Amino acid sequence: MPEAEPSAEEGRFVLPLVVRIERAVPPTRTDAMETAARAVLTFLADPRTDEETGEWHKRVRLWEERGIRKVVRRARGSEWRRTEPLEGITLAARTAEVRVFPPVPLDGWPRELSRLQVSGTDLEDPEPPPPPEAGEPVLWLSPVLEMTAGKAMAQAAHAAQLAWWDLSEPARVSWRDAAFPLAVRVARDARHWESLTTSGLPVVRDAGFTEIAPGSCTVVAEHPALRPPSTPRDSG
């Protein structure tokens, strides 16, 4: 019998993110997206990831080489507490708390994470977020695509990572030392979105695993230290 062809998913890694959503006090949608993006940047800048001798370095390199897929799950109460002993980084900002873990094989999630739900991340903003501050990095969301908050968190984190890759080392250090300020906002209208996606700034094109069609442009990363051109990259 001939050997089976290897699956395209074989050998793939995924970066798990968990957002804390307590029933009584859920985070706002914008806080969750911004905190997820900043958590991933904090993870990428951590010596355990960034340095070749770091304990997470090898897994991160394999994950980056095979596609930067991220999956956001939710936890509350005892579910959240069970994730705390696992290696990773937790970031809390305003109403949101997000934990990011080193990459795991697509079919090899730790039990504490595999039991968590992907659904149920439909968060809301009680009021429209204010305009970004002058000079602040902005992750612009598509104004025409509908995404759950969990999906949008992953996409914003992708865009932040693309910006991180494209920055010079001095710009990275400056951003890191400032604790990664950024804003996540929906593009103002179709004309603004078109100008962003054709600007040469980093663009996330979704791989189409969940919710939206493959190849859809979801987020553009605008950072004052970035200048076009930059090549769009696929994501999970």
Side-chain angles (χ1 to χ4, degrees):
M1 180 179 294
E3 292 186 5
E5 290 291 328
S7 167
E9 296 291 280
E10 194 171 313
R12 290 286 297 272
F13 283 75
V14 60
L15 190 77
L17 289 90
V18 176
V19 57
R20 185 175 187 175
I21 303 180
E22 301 290 350
R23 287 190 179 91
V25 283
T28 68
R29 182 181 176 95
T30 295
D31 284 354
M33 291 187 293
E34 291 178 351
T35 305
R38 292 180 58 232
V40 167
L41 289 167
T42 303
F43 173 81
L44 293 172
D46 191 283
R48 290 169 289 182
T49 296
D50 192 45
E51 297 178 2
E52 290 190 10
T53 56
E55 58 197 89
W56 301 337
H57 182 79
K58 184 176 180 180
R59 276 178 286 171
V60 171
R61 293 292 85 80
L62 289 171
W63 166 66
E64 290 178 339
E65 291 167 2
R66 299 172 186 180
I68 58 168
R69 188 169 180 182
K70 300 176 180 70
V71 173
V72 175
R73 300 193 177 203
R74 62 175 173 86
R76 63 170 61 98
S78 60
E79 297 173 329
W80 177 262
R81 291 191 292 274
R82 281 195 291 268
T83 71
E84 291 177 334
L86 300 178
E87 57 179 354
I89 291 172
T90 303
L91 188 68
R94 294 185 295 272
T95 65
E97 193 168 0
V98 175
R99 190 160 173 80
V100 58
F101 302 87
V104 298
L106 196 57
D107 58 355
W109 284 64
R111 185 183 178 196
E112 296 88 344
L113 302 182
S114 65
R115 297 168 63 181
L116 301 177
Q117 296 295 313
V118 176
S119 61
T121 59
D122 295 317
L123 304 173
E124 302 291 340
D125 283 321
E127 297 179 0
E133 296 183 9
E136 185 176 35
V138 185
L139 309 176
W140 294 103
L141 296 170
S142 167
V144 297
L145 294 175
E146 292 188 6
M147 295 182 281
T148 63
K151 178 72 171 181
M153 288 169 65
Q155 297 298 295
H158 288 326
Q161 184 166 358
L162 298 189
W164 177 254
W165 281 350
D166 282 0
L167 288 172
S168 67
E169 186 60 26
R172 286 186 181 186
V173 171
S174 177
W175 202 14
R176 181 201 66 198
D177 290 350
F180 299 112
L182 58 82
V184 178
R185 298 290 186 271
V186 177
R188 293 186 292 272
D189 51 37
R191 180 177 295 181
H192 180 216
W193 181 243
E194 182 180 6
S195 71
L196 288 166
T197 57
T198 58
S199 66
L201 291 168
V203 182
V204 178
R205 296 185 187 277
D206 193 67
F209 293 117
T210 59
E211 296 192 25
I212 56 180
S216 301
C217 295
T218 57
V219 192
V220 175
E222 186 176 37
H223 190 290
L226 285 178
R227 293 294 180 268
S230 176
T231 303
R233 299 182 178 93
D234 293 336
S235 69

